[in-house]
Amino acid sequence: MDFEKIRKDFSILSKVIDSKQLIYLDNAATTQKPNFVIDSISGFYKNHNANILRGVYPLAEQATEMYENARQKIAKFINASDACEIIFTSGTTEGINFIADSWVQNNLKPGDEILLTEAEHHANFLPWVLLAEKTGVKLKFIKINPKTFKLDFSDDLITEKTKLVALTHSSNVLGNIWQKDQLEKVIKKAHEVGAKVLLDAAQTVPHQKIDIQKLNPDFLVFSGHKMLGSTGIGILYIKKEIQDEVAPYRVGGSMVHSSVSKSPTWVESPAKFEAGTPPIAQAIGLGAAVDYINENINFDGLKKHEANLCSKLIDGLQQIDGVTIFGNIEELKQTGHLVSFFVEDIHVHDIASLLGSKNICVRAGQHCAQPLSTVLNVQATLRVSFYLYNTDKEVEIFLKELQEAIIFLKG
Ligand code: PMP
């Protein structure tokens, strides 16, 4: 992987404000976009813009083809068995709300159980909390071990009452929280009792090779903007064999055979699940992001690069008085792409805004994962998260500026 070349592909990374170089370390929130992706989106608007599916003139046919090509690319990227399994949404959040409001709401009854982990992002927590209030479905949690920051799963958490297992594939605060082969075991056990499995892969699809057929969830969701695509686009994977069981989440144009018959009948997936005009340019941009990744990243190299940055960062943090790292250090050094930590007696927001004034972008807070903060009794953390374009030098500058910020804030 040519990291020097990669940096040049991202115009924003050469941005200087008040003579300070931008150091972007908030990739778990959203990634920067290479010019290739930006050009593909503006190129669509400049040369190909039309609504899809409906028009029979060449411009509309071309736009439809570009949109469907993007779906094919994404299907291949995660090794889906058929492109009809790839549904365009606005992001991870919408994908989970989709399944909560359609399949789950239609299939679960009071007393049925949904199993989550204690480390869910609110996107994979609040839809289930609301649903439980509305329907009487019960929520259960796989506990996070406060020493190892790994999940403590026991077989008895999944019973005949379990109808859905909705899990984060990797935590946006802690990184990987699964023990070796544990997730595969949970998925297998869920399927044995007839439960469906939903994986929130917002923090994994950008960083590791996903083989959806091997992983075998029923639903999987991720966001385009965390993998070099634009905002406003995400993917909901729905396994082909269960698509007939899933009702549309929204209804409207381009998804019905007949709307005037007594009971409307839906066209096949994916149109069945994409009512109305979809985010066409954004989907084409996500297709371009996949092209860029295929061309420039091999996932083994990316993992090594990100883990090296985590390792260097952790070594530096461990030299600073009062710093506590929040996560499994050994694992983060080997496979991580983010590191969360806090500094004794200083509010993390104060540090983040001081760093911000130096043009260093990191995230501070609970990272939309309040249940995790509550069970581990940690108010807030600073989170540094890496992607393909980050460098050793950036970690060095970050560590130096962090130490200066701590000295300043401690007075
Ligand atoms: N789940 C995880 C693990 C995340 O990291 C995020 C984004 N921080 C989300 C869900 C929500 O993603 P989005 O805001 O793109 O819908």
Side-chain angles (χ1 to χ4, degrees):
M1 283 168 61
D2 184 350
F3 295 106
E4 284 294 312
K5 176 209 168 265
I6 284 171
R7 272 191 81 80
K8 293 198 183 102
D9 291 338
F10 293 77
S11 295
I12 198 170
L13 296 180
S14 52
K15 205 170 167 61
V16 176
I17 303 173
D18 292 340
S19 72
K20 288 172 208 97
Q21 181 69 44
L22 176 72
I23 298 187
Y24 187 77
L25 301 172
D26 194 17
N27 294 286
T30 199
T31 61
Q32 299 301 342
K33 323 301 169 197
N35 298 332
F36 181 72
V37 168
I38 298 168
D39 292 347
S40 96
I41 294 170
S42 71
F44 171 75
Y45 282 124
K46 281 182 189 158
N47 302 310
H48 308 286
N49 180 50
N51 209 333
I52 57 162
L53 299 175
R54 304 165 179 100
V56 289
Y57 49 88
L59 200 66
E61 284 169 348
Q62 210 172 52
T64 305
E65 195 182 320
M66 290 172 80
Y67 179 75
E68 291 305 330
N69 261 344
R71 195 191 310 278
Q72 296 278 354
K73 287 177 193 173
I74 293 150
K76 193 158 172 229
F77 186 61
I78 61 167
N79 195 29
S81 69
D82 193 311
C84 78
E85 299 181 310
I86 303 298
I87 315 302
F88 286 115
T89 62
S90 67
T92 303
T93 304
E94 190 184 35
I96 298 169
N97 277 277
F98 180 128
I99 296 306
D101 288 357
S102 65
W103 186 82
V104 178
Q105 187 148 303
N106 295 334
N107 287 279
L108 271 61
K109 53 184 189 318
D112 284 345
E113 293 177 358
I114 298 178
L115 182 66
L116 311 169
T117 78
E118 285 182 333
E120 299 306 327
H121 185 282
H122 289 167
N124 194 34
F125 176 66
L126 293 175
W128 312 121
V129 171
L130 293 192
L131 193 99
E133 275 174 15
K134 204 155 71 181
T135 63
V137 162
K138 197 173 156 211
L139 305 185
K140 276 169 62 174
F141 296 87
I142 309 176
K143 287 202 179 314
I144 188 97
N145 184 308
K147 290 206 177 75
T148 61
F149 298 97
K150 294 277 182 179
L151 292 166
D152 283 336
F153 174 72
S154 60
D155 268 6
D156 57 2
L157 281 168
I158 296 181
T159 69
E160 293 297 319
K161 287 187 181 169
T162 312
K163 296 293 181 262
L164 178 75
V165 173
L167 310 164
T168 187
H169 197 198
S170 177
S171 157
N172 62 318
V173 184
L174 302 172
N176 180 32
I177 47 176
W178 293 98
Q179 298 180 40
K180 196 170 179 306
D181 302 329
Q182 194 181 34
L183 177 63
E184 291 74 6
K185 198 174 141 198
V186 175
I187 295 176
K188 196 160 168 269
K189 173 90 183 148
H191 285 154
E192 276 166 17
V193 300
K196 300 277 188 278
V197 176
L198 180 151
L199 283 186
D200 171 355
Q203 294 296 339
T204 49
V205 173
H207 300 276
Q208 65 192 57
K209 183 78 203 140
I210 299 293
D211 182 336
I212 198 100
Q213 295 187 59
K214 218 161 136 201
L215 197 56
N216 199 25
D218 301 281
F219 311 110
L220 179 132
V221 286
F222 57 98
S223 299
H225 69 94
K226 291 185 200 286
M227 50 179 289
L228 311 180
S230 75
T231 51
I233 188 75
I235 300 299
L236 163 62
Y237 160 89
I238 308 180
K239 196 189 270 175
K240 194 173 178 183
E241 295 79 56
I242 62 166
Q243 290 187 335
D244 287 345
E245 290 177 47
V246 183
Y249 162 57
R250 297 191 196 291
V251 290
S254 298
M255 45 87 69
V256 70
H257 283 305
S258 164
S259 62
V260 290
S261 57
K262 226 173 177 185
S263 174
T265 49
W266 315 123
V267 299
E268 296 292 303
S269 177
K272 170 185 170 186
F273 301 119
E274 293 181 356
T277 300
I280 304 165
Q282 293 89 329
I284 291 165
L286 183 54
V290 165
D291 286 340
Y292 185 88
I293 290 171
N294 287 336
E295 182 82 9
N296 292 282
I297 296 178
N298 75 66
F299 278 105
D300 287 342
L302 178 67
K303 182 178 280 186
K304 200 161 155 233
H305 176 68
E306 292 173 338
N308 281 343
L309 295 172
C310 285
S311 200
K312 193 175 173 77
L313 174 62
I314 289 170
D315 288 345
L317 289 173
Q318 287 176 325
Q319 305 299 314
I320 304 175
D321 270 356
V323 168
T324 303
I325 294 164
F326 194 54
N328 185 305
I329 290 178
E330 212 175 295
E331 169 108 29
L332 291 173
K333 281 182 150 191
Q334 274 167 27
T335 62
H337 71 276
L338 56 82
V339 179
S340 298
F341 63 96
F342 55 87
V343 185
E344 208 174 63
D345 299 330
I346 306 183
H347 202 290
V348 289
H349 277 114
D350 294 338
I351 301 178
S353 54
L354 254 182
L355 292 171
S357 70
K358 307 276 168 82
N359 223 7
I360 299 173
C361 313
V362 293
R363 185 54 71 93
Q366 296 183 322
H367 317 294
C368 304
Q370 280 176 13
L372 181 69
S373 301
T374 309
V375 293
L376 295 181
N377 197 22
V378 171
Q379 270 298 312
T381 58
L382 271 171
R383 183 186 68 190
V384 174
S385 52
F386 299 115
Y387 208 24
L388 69 168
Y389 36 67
N390 291 121
T391 64
D392 277 5
K393 180 98 188 122
E394 288 178 316
V395 176
E396 283 160 25
I397 298 172
F398 169 80
L399 284 166
K400 180 178 151 288
E401 294 293 348
L402 173 69
Q403 276 165 295
E404 284 180 16
I406 293 172
I407 292 169
F408 178 80
L409 290 165
K410 283 203 166 158

